[in-house]
Amino acid sequence: MKLFKILISTITSVLLFANVTLAEKWDMALAYGAGNFHSANAAEFAKNVTEKSGGKLTIVTHPGGSLFKGGEIFRAVRTGQAQIGERFMSALGKEDPLLEVDSQPFLATSYDDAMKLYKASKPEIVKGLDAKGLVFLYAVPWPAQGLYSKKAINSVGDLKGLKFRAYNSATIRIAELTGMAPTKIEAAEISQAFSTGAVESMITSPTTGKNSKIWENGVGYFYDIAAWFPKNMVIVNKDAWNKLDAATQKLIMKEAAIAERKGWDLSKKGNVADKKALADAGMKVGKVNSALEKHFQKVGATMADEWKAKAGARGVGVLAAYK
Ligand code: PCA
């Protein structure tokens, strides 16, 4: 009986030890505040994976740039400083021009088209990330991008010389082709940039305007251009990925697909609700007039040619698959 007890306790210790050595902990770097729908969705994904992995993997989320700021997350995941993270794809055009296909104005102007463009571009994007030592998990779009301004914009002339907050190369290019003065600023710093007068206009989602309570910083106008739906993607460091067993990897991919579906739904809801929130806060929410619409269309056409030249044969392939 005594021997039996010793045997049982030895087996238990061995099992416990094995479990401890197999358990992985991942830090998930998130750039946007905990209340943002991307971050909330990522937190749910992390919780589901953690709970269902049977102790093999714990994913701890760090929202609001608390672990790494937006601009640092791609490199941090690539180098393994964070095992997993979320990054705004089109800010990574220098890594791979295909990552900014979703920020080309007027290429995809509805959620259906945004999904089509995502499906057409995903295989090449995943391949590109894989070559950089990254595993792609899922991508979720922001609501339709619109123009915010402190003053009313009724003509292209009204935009000339405006200090403009940009978030990627595409928005910098829009500013250049319009005569605005762009500065690249992460979402976390928007309120400060507007309140100090460093900028007076930007193009982003109603969600980001709402999250930064932009109306408190003298921004009274939102023009719903809805010319593109840029996405965030969640990526994993491949070395961290390879430490997991096949069952855990499968679980992650399954939960990633669920998170992606939920994220797209949340985005669609925010596209309506957050615009209403801007109006409820007293902002003037409307469309640009036809002269401005034409101007942005022209800017978009120029940028489409420039992007094709940058993205080369892979870009041509993605556009052919999309159309
Ligand atoms: N919000 C993010 C990216 C796109 C968006 O809607 C931002 O403004 O930085």
Side-chain angles (χ1 to χ4, degrees), residues 32 88 142-143 145 165 167 185-187 190 203-205 208 230:
Y32 307 95
F88 185 50
W142 291 88
Q145 305 291 292
R165 178 258 167 172
Y167 58 52
I185 296 168
E186 288 293 329
I190 287 176
I203 295 179
T204 186
S205 57
T208 292

Side-chain angles (χ1 to χ4, degrees), residues 188-199 217:
E189 269 93 55
I190 287 176
S191 305
Q192 201 195 348
F194 276 91
S195 70
T196 59
V199 294
N217 298 306

Side-chain angles (χ1 to χ4, degrees), residues 74 78 95-96 99 122-137 233 235-239 241-242 253 314:
F74 187 77
R78 210 178 158 184
E95 295 289 340
D96 181 356
L99 288 167
K122 186 176 165 184
E124 272 302 316
I125 286 175
V126 170
K127 239 188 266 173
L129 292 168
D130 178 73
K132 291 177 193 285
L134 293 161
V135 179
F136 175 94
L137 294 192
M233 65 176 174
I235 45 173
V236 173
N237 176 283
K238 215 198 272 182
D239 292 335
W241 178 258
N242 287 336
M253 284 304 181
R314 287 165 75 232

Side-chain angles (χ1 to χ4, degrees), residues 22-23 29 60 63 79 92-93 108 122 142 149 155 186 200 229 238 245 247 266 270-271 275 291 300 305 316:
L22 280 178
V60 180
T79 58
L92 297 165
K122 186 176 165 184
W142 291 88
S149 173
S155 68
E186 288 293 329
E200 51 201 336
F229 292 80
K238 215 198 272 182
D245 62 17
L266 287 170
N271 196 39
K275 232 176 289 172
D305 289 342
V316 171

Side-chain angles (χ1 to χ4, degrees), residues 88-251:
F88 185 50
M89 294 169 78
S90 58
L92 297 165
K94 289 202 178 82
E95 295 289 340
D96 181 356
L98 289 195
L99 288 167
E100 53 183 8
V101 71
D102 66 14
S103 287
Q104 299 311 308
F106 301 105
L107 184 57
T109 58
S110 67
Y111 275 101
D112 283 351
D113 280 353
M115 178 53 92
K116 259 176 67 189
L117 183 59
Y118 173 41
K119 285 190 176 151
S121 56
K122 186 176 165 184
E124 272 302 316
I125 286 175
V126 170
K127 239 188 266 173
L129 292 168
D130 178 73
K132 291 177 193 285
L134 293 161
V135 179
F136 175 94
L137 294 192
Y138 68 85
V140 169
W142 291 88
Q145 305 291 292
L147 172 68
Y148 289 81
S149 173
K150 286 193 176 181
K151 58 168 202 179
I153 305 295
N154 295 310
S155 68
V156 181
D158 289 338
L159 288 166
K160 288 253 175 320
L162 280 190
K163 288 179 276 178
F164 177 81
R165 178 258 167 172
Y167 58 52
N168 62 10
S169 307
T171 47
I172 288 175
R173 193 66 186 128
I174 291 172
E176 286 169 355
L177 292 168
T178 302
M180 297 186 282
T183 312
K184 208 166 154 187
I185 296 168
E186 288 293 329
E189 269 93 55
I190 287 176
S191 305
Q192 201 195 348
F194 276 91
S195 70
T196 59
V199 294
E200 51 201 336
S201 64
M202 67 175 166
I203 295 179
T204 186
S205 57
T207 309
T208 292
K210 187 193 90 176
N211 287 166
S212 17
K213 294 203 172 73
I214 199 68
W215 54 87
E216 290 182 358
N217 298 306
V219 179
Y221 298 88
F222 178 78
Y223 299 95
D224 193 10
I225 309 177
W228 67 97
F229 292 80
K231 298 184 294 295
N232 284 356
M233 65 176 174
V234 172
I235 45 173
V236 173
N237 176 283
K238 215 198 272 182
D239 292 335
W241 178 258
N242 287 336
K243 283 190 192 149
L244 303 176
D245 62 17
T248 309
Q249 291 177 343
K250 204 172 147 202
L251 167 71

